[in-house]
DNA sequence: ACTAACATGTAAGCGGTTACATGATTTC
DNA sequence: GAAATCATGTAACCGCTTACATGTTAGT
């Protein structure tokens, strides 16, 4: 499990509330890890109880008060230990691949629309990533000298971009295969 | 959830026992979906209770008897319905990406070995996929005329190959980034 | 008036992992 | 004699999803 670790990394990059973390998990951190706000609040409470993170009540005007979390010394230790222990390459789960193989026993042509839908979703994500890259790393407003943190964030983002490009190309391949199928007789 | 559907597809491709399914989930089906034998046995029992699949006790010599499952009419209906309903593009979870971003707050150089380990794992998988492709689809012993099922299986396998190649290239990129980091002073 | 954004939670359920358990046969 | 393969399960746990719940402020 790496949700705690993802939260630790995100809080090290910038302290914030559960709500803010949930928003980050829809954006940058969410490129490679997802979590709902319910899950985040629960884990934050446990992490606080275990002394991994500190809380600070922040009164706000015009908005509900929030709890700002930051990484405690113990949290840094936990993260460091995790970084130094090997993890297994994660197992993949592609619903769409199951569908594609299943299509052989149904109507393959009916799957074309679904594949195109997925392709649009991946194209949207790619556009989103590329905009982020331009804004934060390669654009005119990006910081000229980048520290290790930014270099590594950029490397992860390049991974997301490579993934989406790969998916788009593969889904093209799948569509060509679906179109090329001739009904048996 | 798609484990039931993955099992239906696999049983349509070829009926088999829970044990055999578990083995397939380590090979071909496992390219895009994983499941342990415990999970498979439990789901098979439920699917049988719901009338999605049929069982046949097969006595064997020199081996324990096995239960051979095959897809029932209801199972085909369930699969067909699922194939026709849209699913959301799955959310990604990459532990390694969390580690890479986390490395900025620890020792980035210490991560090099871990990244290389993952790269070897992906290289192994790629080799495995390519061997499977040669054996089943593009080699001299592969069937010349391929039906829809084989065409689609091949398309999924090409996806696995594209994924592993993408990962290898990206991990090269990550390694170059890690090596390029100069300690601040 | 309504919607969106801000902010934090509880409760039920379930899919999946990990550990434990058994027993035969084949191969080294 | 030990290990690997074949074959099927139970039990405990837990991470995560889905649904439900509440309340404020800002903008249209």
């Amino acid at each position: 499990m790496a949700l705690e670790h993802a939260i630790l990394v995100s809080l090290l990059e910038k302290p914030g509330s559960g709500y803010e973390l949930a928003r980050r998990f829809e954006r940058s951190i969410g490129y490679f890890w997802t979590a709902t706000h319910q899950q985040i609040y629960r884990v934050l409470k446990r992490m606080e109880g275990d002394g991994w993170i500190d809380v600070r009540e922040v009164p706000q005007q015009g908005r509900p008060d929030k709890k700002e979390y930051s990484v405690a010394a113990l949290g840094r230790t936990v993260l460091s230990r995790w970084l130094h222990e090997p993890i297994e390459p994660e197992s993949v789960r592609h619903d769409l691949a199951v569908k594609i193989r299943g299509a052989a026993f149904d109507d393959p042509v009916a799957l074309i629309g679904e594949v195109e839908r997925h392709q649009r979703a991946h194209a949207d994500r790619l556009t989103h990533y590329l905009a982020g890259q331009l804004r934060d790393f390669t654009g005119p407003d990006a910081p000229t000298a980048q520290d290790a943190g930014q270099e590594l964030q950029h490397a992860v983002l390049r991974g997301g971009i490579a993934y989406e490009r790969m998916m788009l190309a593969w889904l093209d391949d799948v569509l060509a295969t679906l179109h090329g199928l001739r009904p048996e007789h």
Side-chain angles (χ1 to χ4, degrees), chain A:
Chain A
M1 222 273 292
L3 176 56
E4 286 109 333
H5 306 111
I7 288 177
L8 285 174
V9 170
S10 192
L11 288 180
L12 278 171
E13 286 172 357
K14 193 173 176 11
S17 67
Y19 185 84
E20 282 162 356
L21 281 171
R23 299 224 55 205
R24 289 184 211 170
F25 274 83
E26 289 167 7
R27 306 188 327 102
S28 79
I29 292 277
Y31 294 163
F32 49 82
W33 201 271
T34 52
T36 58
H37 78 271
Q38 293 92 331
Q39 180 72 359
I40 290 168
Y41 282 122
R42 186 136 36 91
V43 173
L44 279 174
K45 198 154 272 184
R46 192 179 69 226
M47 290 169 77
E48 191 209 330
D50 292 344
W52 296 13
I53 52 179
D54 296 319
V55 205
R56 197 168 61 93
E57 293 269 349
V58 179
Q60 295 188 121
Q61 289 145 337
R63 290 181 185 183
D65 296 352
K66 67 174 179 179
K67 299 178 183 172
E68 193 182 75
Y69 292 95
S70 54
V71 179
L74 186 54
R76 281 191 97 102
T77 309
V78 168
L79 181 66
S80 179
R81 197 184 310 139
W82 179 70
L83 288 173
H84 283 269
E85 78 193 19
I87 49 170
E88 287 309 301
E90 61 282 338
S91 46
V92 199
R93 295 207 169 169
H94 285 297
D95 299 69
L96 195 58
V98 179
K99 277 199 170 188
I100 291 166
R101 275 175 77 148
F105 305 96
D106 202 75
D107 180 18
V109 178
L111 209 76
I112 290 175
E114 174 80 340
V115 173
E116 286 171 343
R117 260 191 59 246
H118 280 252
Q119 212 172 27
R120 279 193 295 276
H122 286 287
D124 287 348
R125 273 196 225 167
L126 177 59
T127 304
H128 183 218
Y129 291 179
L130 289 173
Q133 181 174 233
L134 200 66
R135 183 186 63 241
D136 299 330
F137 301 112
T138 61
D141 296 339
T144 45
Q146 297 195 352
D147 60 26
Q150 286 173 315
E151 293 276 12
L152 292 170
Q153 279 187 38
H154 191 190
V156 170
L157 180 56
R158 287 198 300 273
I161 290 168
Y163 177 76
E164 299 304 332
R165 286 197 167 129
M166 185 276 301
M167 284 298 288
L168 285 173
W170 176 57
L171 291 177
D172 265 338
D173 177 6
V174 170
L175 283 174
T177 305
L178 287 171
H179 281 121
L181 292 179
R182 288 284 150 260
E184 294 152 63
H185 46 94

